[in-house]
Amino acid sequence: MPKPPRFPKAPTADGPIKDHSLAQVLSQRQALSEGEVKTVAELARAGPNGERDRLLLLTLFYSARRISELLVLTPSRMRPPDLLTLMREKASKQLPPDITVSVPAWLWVQLKEYIRTERIKPDARVFPISRVRAWQIMKGLGK
């Protein structure tokens, strides 16, 4: 059986820099790099809802928003060439209830293609799952 892949050296609090497995690297920091996210996103394609899960992960990463803010995205709230209008989770008197974020143009095009192939109506949610289910998907991809 082949050994699990090794990831870049990461500093440790106890001493010199050592090689770490992915699980060890992730336990020491809160975020993935862009390359790591793309790798996990490609692994998501293997699941029964692979394209949805892949786009969910990529949109979360590139929009840098909360899952609950992303889950309210509808096709009518997408503006060319790369803008998504999301509802803020934490409302405030000083801030508007909506926030417009930019994602890479290639991701915007992939989202529009997914909407077209899945025949999602303009006012229907792009990701029609609960916040809990979205977290389960993210946790499952991390294992």
Side-chain angles (χ1 to χ4, degrees):
M1 182 170 175
K3 289 185 175 182
R6 302 307 282 179
F7 288 84
K9 296 182 180 208
T12 65
D14 299 337
I17 295 175
K18 300 177 183 176
D19 283 336
H20 292 281
S21 69
L22 178 60
Q24 290 169 323
V25 169
L26 295 180
S27 69
Q28 294 177 0
R29 58 189 164 113
Q30 295 294 313
L32 297 174
S33 70
E34 182 175 14
E36 290 167 335
V37 168
K38 287 182 177 181
T39 299
V40 174
E42 287 308 311
L43 294 173
R45 283 188 181 198
N49 295 300
E51 189 62 11
R52 180 202 67 196
D53 296 351
R54 185 183 77 82
L55 289 171
L56 176 65
L57 176 67
L58 290 172
T59 308
L60 277 169
F61 179 76
Y62 284 106
S63 68
R65 302 308 304 170
R66 299 168 187 256
I67 285 180
S68 56
E69 294 171 342
L70 181 61
L71 292 178
V72 298
L73 177 66
T74 63
S76 64
R77 297 173 74 85
M78 297 177 65
R79 303 281 179 258
D82 62 353
L83 300 177
L84 308 175
T85 302
L86 308 173
M87 291 177 61
R88 288 185 195 274
E89 181 179 306
K90 306 235 176 191
S92 165
K93 291 181 182 178
Q94 293 83 19
L95 299 172
D98 292 341
I99 183 167
T100 300
V101 297
S102 178
V103 295
W106 60 265
L107 178 56
W108 193 91
V109 169
Q110 288 182 16
L111 283 166
K112 285 303 257 188
E113 180 63 19
Y114 173 74
I115 289 165
R116 186 184 67 74
T117 58
E118 295 295 318
R119 298 181 178 168
I120 299 172
K121 296 185 183 195
D123 290 326
R125 295 184 323 168
V126 175
F127 304 108
I129 57 176
S130 71
R131 181 181 55 81
V132 172
R133 180 64 189 131
W135 273 112
Q136 290 170 342
I137 291 166
M138 295 302 112
K139 281 182 75 175
L141 291 174
K143 290 184 178 181

